């Protein structure tokens, strides 16, 4: 069994718990997720099984979307509901217009300081392990991109809260985003609940629950939930190999260079095809390899393929 399963992670399970569940339920040896969700969060968690674990890193960098519940008036040390309360303020004076204005400063390219309870590292050690020992260290800010940040609803008053829809790049901490919005509003805020609604091409509406996957394993119908590796990476341009090229590829020999004119149009989008990652597929559509394009010297403008992953 090789492919990606779009699992709907329930709150209360760690991402590792979900991977262990998939491994046991499907009877597979190799399985891994493509991006951690906090234990209290729910939503889309793609799990790679079999040969698809070899391409999980390419899904890890995908953009993501979330729905978040933000509580105003409270600051916690972890920026979420699980943390220790550090400050309490009355948010009664905050209006919907105030929140809308604050959100405007967090769209586009922004800088974030990772929270101590995170998987980042300091001197080779995970931040969350340091935090559990009560150690707080300086963290360098990181650059992330927030493509969309919309206020879905707002409840004003002494128990003010807001629901946000967020689309963002890899590495964005939504709980830190809520914390920083609270700082701008002057009353503080924390992330109360989070649902990941999209991870790259995987969406919440098509995710399979733990219970559904368990039932499918008993019924022998799990295959309907397994997306082939090539389909999971459909956002990458596809180059179809000739049968003789597929045979040579199995020996680690890259396919012959191609003229730009016969490559997928998205390869030349932006005018910088060199270095672009592409899927190499067999004639029947199976993912054979991932490769990066490079100008083939002396080949009259042809683009060659530098192999990164061979799956045959």
């Amino acid at each position: 069994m090789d492919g990606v399963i779009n699992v709907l992670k329930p709150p209360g399970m760690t991402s590792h718990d979900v991977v262990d569940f998939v491994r046991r339920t499907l009877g597979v040896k190799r399985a891994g997720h493509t991006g951690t969700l906090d234990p209290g969060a729910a939503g889309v968690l793609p799990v790679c099984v079999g040969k698809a674990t070899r391409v999980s890193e390419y899904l890890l960098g995908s953009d993501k979307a979330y729905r978040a519940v933000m509580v105003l008036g409270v600051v916690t040390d972890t920026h979420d509901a699980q943390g220790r309360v550090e400050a309490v303020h009355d948010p009664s004076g905050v209006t919907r217009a105030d929140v809308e204005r604050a959100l405007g400063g967090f769209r586009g390219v922004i800088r974030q300081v990772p929270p101590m309870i995170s998987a980042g590292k300091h001197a080779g050690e995970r931040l969350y392990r340091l935090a559990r020992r009560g150690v707080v260290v300086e963290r360098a800010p990181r650059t992330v991109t927030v493509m969309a940040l919309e206020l879905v609803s707002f409840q004003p008053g002494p128990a003010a809260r807001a629901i946000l829809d967020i689309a963002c790049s890899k590495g964005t901490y939504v709980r830190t985003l809520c914390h920083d919005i609270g700082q701008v509003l002057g009353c503080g805020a924390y992330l109360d609940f989070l649902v990941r609604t999209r991870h790259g091409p995987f969406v919440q509406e098509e995710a399979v629950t733990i219970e559904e996957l368990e039932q499918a394993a008993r019924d022998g119908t799990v295959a309907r939930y397994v997306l082939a590796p090539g389909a999971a990476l459909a956002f990458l341009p596809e180059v179809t190999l000739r049968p003789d090229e597929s045979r040579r590829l199995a020996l680690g020999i890259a396919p012959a260079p191609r003229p730009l004119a016969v490559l997928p149009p998205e390869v030349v989008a932006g005018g910088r095809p060199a270095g672009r990652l592409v899927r190499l597929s067999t004639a029947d559509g199976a993912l054979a390899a991932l490769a990066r394009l490079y100008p083939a010297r002396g080949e009259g403008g042809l683009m060659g393929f530098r192999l990164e992953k061979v799956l045959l």
Side-chain angles (χ1 to χ4, degrees):
M1 185 177 294
D2 304 304
V4 185
I5 302 174
N6 179 10
V7 179
L8 187 67
K9 186 188 98 61
M13 291 182 76
T14 67
S15 299
H16 185 68
D17 289 340
V18 174
V19 171
D20 278 348
F21 170 83
V22 170
R23 190 182 290 117
R24 292 193 312 270
T25 303
L26 275 58
V28 296
K29 292 183 178 180
R30 289 189 294 171
H33 63 72
T34 61
T36 303
L37 264 178
D38 288 343
V44 172
L45 183 70
V47 176
C48 297
V49 295
K51 288 183 179 180
T53 56
R54 300 191 59 211
V55 299
S56 60
E57 65 193 90
Y58 301 99
L59 291 169
L60 184 64
S62 300
D63 295 341
K64 300 167 182 68
Y66 300 90
R67 174 156 288 192
V69 178
M70 179 177 69
V71 171
L72 278 63
V74 180
V75 177
T76 74
D77 61 348
T78 59
H79 304 168
D80 61 18
Q82 282 69 51
R84 177 177 56 84
V85 174
E86 294 185 320
V88 177
H89 305 282
D90 183 4
S92 298
V94 177
T95 66
R96 184 185 183 99
D98 292 332
V99 178
E100 292 279 14
R101 279 193 295 272
L103 297 185
F106 292 92
R107 297 186 182 106
V109 178
I110 65 171
R111 301 274 279 171
Q112 282 190 327
V113 176
M116 280 301 302
I117 299 294
S118 69
K121 290 184 176 181
H122 174 79
E125 188 169 4
R126 297 289 184 187
L127 289 174
Y128 65 80
R129 289 177 180 159
L130 293 171
R132 287 170 183 166
R133 300 201 303 269
V135 178
V136 178
V137 298
E138 290 291 324
R139 287 95 67 201
R142 62 200 304 179
T143 300
V144 298
T145 303
V146 177
M147 287 78 75
L149 177 57
E150 303 301 328
L151 181 60
V152 177
S153 67
F154 176 66
Q155 172 190 304
R161 59 201 296 116
I163 297 179
L164 308 173
D165 275 348
I166 304 153
C168 54
S169 65
K170 170 194 172 183
T172 304
Y173 289 102
V174 176
R175 51 201 164 103
T176 297
L177 181 63
C178 290
H179 170 85
D180 293 347
I181 292 169
Q183 296 302 107
V184 170
L185 290 170
C187 63
Y190 69 83
L191 174 67
D192 189 42
F193 188 65
L194 182 70
V195 177
R196 185 153 67 195
T197 56
R198 180 178 60 80
H199 180 133
F202 300 95
V203 295
Q204 181 182 352
E205 293 78 9
E206 298 173 359
V208 57
T209 67
I210 294 294
E211 294 78 13
E212 288 170 335
L213 192 60
E214 196 168 35
Q215 184 62 50
R218 288 194 293 264
D219 297 342
T221 58
V222 167
R224 62 179 171 151
Y225 295 122
V226 182
L227 189 65
L233 295 171
F235 56 89
L236 296 175
E238 181 183 35
V239 176
T240 302
L241 303 173
R242 300 189 303 270
D244 61 307
E245 290 178 320
S246 296
R247 289 191 293 271
R248 288 197 295 271
L249 185 63
L251 302 174
I253 302 172
R258 303 280 204 278
L260 270 175
V262 304
L263 291 174
E266 57 266 38
V267 165
V268 296
R272 293 178 177 269
R276 287 293 303 273
L277 188 66
V278 297
R279 289 179 290 145
L280 302 181
S281 300
T282 61
D284 59 2
L287 180 64
L290 295 173
R292 291 196 183 273
L293 297 173
Y294 71 93
R297 291 184 180 178
E299 297 287 350
L302 301 184
M303 300 301 294
F305 302 93
R306 186 168 288 113
L307 299 177
E308 282 202 6
K309 297 275 185 179
V310 178
L311 283 82
L312 289 179

